[in-house]
Amino acid sequence: MQALPFAILAIVCYLAAGSWQALALARRVAPRAALVRSLGLLAVSAHAVVVAHSVFLGHGLHLGLFESASLFSWLIAALLIAVSLLKPLLSVGAGLFPLAALTLIALMLFPSHMVEANVSPGIVFHILTSSVASALLSIAAVQAMLVALQNHALKRRHTRGIVQVLPALTSMERLLFELIGAGLLLLTAAIVSGFIFIDNLFAQHLVHKTVFSLAAWMVFTGLLIGRHWLGWRGARAVRWTLGGCLLLVLGYFGTKVALQLVFHDV
């Protein structure tokens, strides 16, 4: 693998950034946003080289299971760092940065040769919007987990530890719904572009992805409606967010898992 040195650099920096952020949440070390962001940016830059070599080089797009997972985790990490410049979102890096490192390790150990040939600009737009939507909603899922931990601690009157590190619960919930709103907008664009640019979204190899994506769209839409009209928040919002994200993951990776790991179509 020509990009192996870049993959190793990215793995080390992801693990360092994630570990520091996790220790900061546990109040074992002082929060160092600039350090975590710098390590994350270095990791994302090196990861970009790996993505370029594993996904985009040659004819067509190489979108096997672990190539897709690596691309997906790179998008998540890049969006996380970018959004963290404007919003207090860096805490989710404690879980997401190590996940990105894990996808790189899997890519180095289990590369595939699945190639999507003759990809039109319309399909590229569909892939891009669906990937960015899924990345944003995955960040929202980890944010929801932090909201759940914070809410649980406050209900038990535990005001030390993670509660002291994170922003106020209302700010955390507001950011959660901002992420869901942006992700849902892009997911809508992805679904619409899929119906426009793909001949048959309900073909045998696409039907499960289409069904799960539509189901996730309904879950996130229902959540935002419930938030606006019924004031949904707290544990209910967390459950709906995690449920919608699970549907997206099943839709995004389900077919690739079946083809590459079950039927060994690599």
Side-chain angles (χ1 to χ4, degrees), residues 76-102:
I76 290 175
L79 286 170
L80 169 58
I81 292 170
V83 176
S84 73
L85 295 171
L86 304 173
K87 301 287 184 178
L89 192 63
L90 205 56
S91 295
V92 302
L96 292 176
F97 286 145
L99 180 62
L102 184 62

CSV table of all heavy atoms in Angstrom, one decimal, residues 76-102:
chain,number,residue,atom,x,y,z
A,76,ILE,N,-16.3,12.3,8.6
A,76,ILE,CA,-16.8,12.6,9.9
A,76,ILE,C,-15.7,13.4,10.6
A,76,ILE,O,-16.0,14.4,11.3
A,76,ILE,CB,-17.0,11.3,10.7
A,76,ILE,CG1,-18.3,10.6,10.2
A,76,ILE,CG2,-17.2,11.5,12.2
A,76,ILE,CD1,-18.6,9.2,10.8
A,77,ALA,N,-14.4,12.9,10.6
A,77,ALA,CA,-13.4,13.7,11.3
A,77,ALA,C,-13.2,15.1,10.7
A,77,ALA,O,-13.0,16.0,11.5
A,77,ALA,CB,-12.1,12.9,11.2
A,78,ALA,N,-13.2,15.2,9.4
A,78,ALA,CA,-13.0,16.5,8.8
A,78,ALA,C,-14.2,17.4,9.2
A,78,ALA,O,-13.9,18.6,9.5
A,78,ALA,CB,-12.9,16.4,7.3
A,79,LEU,N,-15.4,17.0,9.1
A,79,LEU,CA,-16.5,17.8,9.5
A,79,LEU,C,-16.5,18.2,11.0
A,79,LEU,O,-16.8,19.3,11.4
A,79,LEU,CB,-17.8,17.1,9.2
A,79,LEU,CG,-18.2,17.0,7.7
A,79,LEU,CD1,-19.4,16.0,7.5
A,79,LEU,CD2,-18.6,18.4,7.2
A,80,LEU,N,-16.1,17.2,11.8
A,80,LEU,CA,-16.0,17.5,13.2
A,80,LEU,C,-15.0,18.6,13.5
A,80,LEU,O,-15.3,19.5,14.3
A,80,LEU,CB,-15.5,16.2,13.9
A,80,LEU,CG,-15.1,16.3,15.4
A,80,LEU,CD1,-16.3,16.9,16.2
A,80,LEU,CD2,-14.7,14.9,15.9
A,81,ILE,N,-13.8,18.6,12.9
A,81,ILE,CA,-12.8,19.6,13.1
A,81,ILE,C,-13.3,20.9,12.6
A,81,ILE,O,-13.2,22.0,13.3
A,81,ILE,CB,-11.5,19.2,12.5
A,81,ILE,CG1,-10.9,18.0,13.2
A,81,ILE,CG2,-10.5,20.4,12.5
A,81,ILE,CD1,-9.7,17.4,12.5
A,82,ALA,N,-13.9,20.9,11.4
A,82,ALA,CA,-14.4,22.2,10.9
A,82,ALA,C,-15.5,22.8,11.7
A,82,ALA,O,-15.5,24.0,12.0
A,82,ALA,CB,-14.9,21.9,9.4
A,83,VAL,N,-16.5,22.0,12.1
A,83,VAL,CA,-17.6,22.5,12.9
A,83,VAL,C,-17.2,22.9,14.3
A,83,VAL,O,-17.7,23.9,14.9
A,83,VAL,CB,-18.8,21.5,13.0
A,83,VAL,CG1,-19.9,22.0,13.9
A,83,VAL,CG2,-19.3,21.2,11.6
A,84,SER,N,-16.2,22.3,14.8
A,84,SER,CA,-15.7,22.6,16.2
A,84,SER,C,-15.1,24.0,16.2
A,84,SER,O,-14.9,24.5,17.3
A,84,SER,CB,-14.7,21.6,16.6
A,84,SER,OG,-13.4,21.7,16.0
A,85,LEU,N,-14.7,24.6,15.1
A,85,LEU,CA,-14.2,25.9,15.1
A,85,LEU,C,-15.4,26.9,15.4
A,85,LEU,O,-15.1,28.0,15.9
A,85,LEU,CB,-13.6,26.3,13.7
A,85,LEU,CG,-12.4,25.5,13.3
A,85,LEU,CD1,-12.0,25.8,11.9
A,85,LEU,CD2,-11.2,25.9,14.3
A,86,LEU,N,-16.6,26.5,15.2
A,86,LEU,CA,-17.8,27.4,15.4
A,86,LEU,C,-18.6,27.0,16.6
A,86,LEU,O,-19.3,27.8,17.2
A,86,LEU,CB,-18.6,27.5,14.1
A,86,LEU,CG,-17.9,27.9,12.9
A,86,LEU,CD1,-18.8,27.7,11.7
A,86,LEU,CD2,-17.4,29.3,13.0
A,87,LYS,N,-18.6,25.6,16.8
A,87,LYS,CA,-19.5,25.1,17.9
A,87,LYS,C,-18.7,24.2,18.8
A,87,LYS,O,-17.7,23.7,18.5
A,87,LYS,CB,-20.6,24.2,17.2
A,87,LYS,CG,-21.5,24.9,16.2
A,87,LYS,CD,-22.5,25.9,16.9
A,87,LYS,CE,-23.4,26.5,15.9
A,87,LYS,NZ,-24.4,27.4,16.5
A,88,PRO,N,-19.2,24.1,20.1
A,88,PRO,CA,-18.5,23.3,21.1
A,88,PRO,C,-18.7,21.8,20.9
A,88,PRO,O,-19.4,21.2,21.6
A,88,PRO,CB,-19.1,23.8,22.4
A,88,PRO,CG,-20.5,24.2,22.1
A,88,PRO,CD,-20.4,24.8,20.7
A,89,LEU,N,-18.1,21.3,19.8
A,89,LEU,CA,-18.4,19.9,19.4
A,89,LEU,C,-17.2,19.0,19.6
A,89,LEU,O,-17.3,17.8,19.3
A,89,LEU,CB,-18.8,19.9,17.9
A,89,LEU,CG,-19.4,18.7,17.3
A,89,LEU,CD1,-20.7,18.4,18.0
A,89,LEU,CD2,-19.6,18.9,15.8
A,90,LEU,N,-16.1,19.5,20.0
A,90,LEU,CA,-14.8,18.7,20.0
A,90,LEU,C,-14.9,17.5,20.9
A,90,LEU,O,-14.2,16.5,20.7
A,90,LEU,CB,-13.7,19.6,20.4
A,90,LEU,CG,-12.3,19.1,19.8
A,90,LEU,CD1,-12.3,19.0,18.3
A,90,LEU,CD2,-11.2,20.1,20.3
A,91,SER,N,-15.8,17.5,21.9
A,91,SER,CA,-15.9,16.4,22.9
A,91,SER,C,-16.2,15.1,22.2
A,91,SER,O,-15.8,14.0,22.6
A,91,SER,CB,-16.9,16.7,23.9
A,91,SER,OG,-16.6,17.8,24.7
A,92,VAL,N,-17.0,15.1,21.1
A,92,VAL,CA,-17.4,13.8,20.4
A,92,VAL,C,-16.2,13.2,19.8
A,92,VAL,O,-16.2,12.0,19.4
A,92,VAL,CB,-18.5,14.1,19.4
A,92,VAL,CG1,-19.7,14.7,20.1
A,92,VAL,CG2,-18.0,14.9,18.2
A,93,GLY,N,-15.1,13.9,19.6
A,93,GLY,CA,-13.9,13.3,19.1
A,93,GLY,C,-13.3,12.2,19.9
A,93,GLY,O,-12.6,11.4,19.4
A,94,ALA,N,-13.7,12.2,21.2
A,94,ALA,CA,-13.2,11.1,22.1
A,94,ALA,C,-13.6,9.8,21.6
A,94,ALA,O,-12.9,8.7,21.8
A,94,ALA,CB,-13.7,11.3,23.5
A,95,GLY,N,-14.8,9.7,20.9
A,95,GLY,CA,-15.3,8.4,20.4
A,95,GLY,C,-15.0,8.3,18.9
A,95,GLY,O,-14.7,7.2,18.4
A,96,LEU,N,-15.1,9.4,18.1
A,96,LEU,CA,-15.0,9.4,16.7
A,96,LEU,C,-13.6,9.3,16.1
A,96,LEU,O,-13.4,8.7,15.1
A,96,LEU,CB,-15.8,10.6,16.1
A,96,LEU,CG,-17.3,10.6,16.3
A,96,LEU,CD1,-17.9,11.8,15.8
A,96,LEU,CD2,-17.9,9.3,15.6
A,97,PHE,N,-12.6,9.9,16.8
A,97,PHE,CA,-11.3,9.8,16.3
A,97,PHE,C,-10.7,8.4,16.4
A,97,PHE,O,-10.1,7.9,15.4
A,97,PHE,CB,-10.4,10.8,17.1
A,97,PHE,CG,-10.5,12.3,16.7
A,97,PHE,CD1,-10.4,13.3,17.6
A,97,PHE,CD2,-10.8,12.6,15.4
A,97,PHE,CE1,-10.6,14.6,17.3
A,97,PHE,CE2,-11.0,14.0,15.0
A,97,PHE,CZ,-10.9,15.0,16.0
A,98,PRO,N,-10.9,7.7,17.5
A,98,PRO,CA,-10.4,6.3,17.5
A,98,PRO,C,-11.2,5.4,16.5
A,98,PRO,O,-10.6,4.5,15.9
A,98,PRO,CB,-10.7,5.9,18.9
A,98,PRO,CG,-10.7,7.1,19.7
A,98,PRO,CD,-11.3,8.2,18.8
A,99,LEU,N,-12.4,5.7,16.2
A,99,LEU,CA,-13.2,5.0,15.2
A,99,LEU,C,-12.5,5.2,13.8
A,99,LEU,O,-12.4,4.2,13.1
A,99,LEU,CB,-14.6,5.5,15.2
A,99,LEU,CG,-15.5,4.8,14.2
A,99,LEU,CD1,-15.6,3.3,14.5
A,99,LEU,CD2,-16.9,5.4,14.2
A,100,ALA,N,-12.1,6.4,13.5
A,100,ALA,CA,-11.4,6.7,12.3
A,100,ALA,C,-10.1,5.9,12.2
A,100,ALA,O,-9.8,5.3,11.1
A,100,ALA,CB,-11.2,8.2,12.1
A,101,ALA,N,-9.4,5.8,13.3
A,101,ALA,CA,-8.2,5.0,13.3
A,101,ALA,C,-8.5,3.5,13.0
A,101,ALA,O,-7.8,2.8,12.3
A,101,ALA,CB,-7.5,5.2,14.6
A,102,LEU,N,-9.6,3.0,13.6
A,102,LEU,CA,-9.9,1.6,13.4
A,102,LEU,C,-10.3,1.3,12.0
A,102,LEU,O,-9.9,0.3,11.5
A,102,LEU,CB,-11.1,1.3,14.3
A,102,LEU,CG,-11.6,-0.1,14.3
A,102,LEU,CD1,-10.5,-1.1,14.9
A,102,LEU,CD2,-12.9,-0.3,15.2
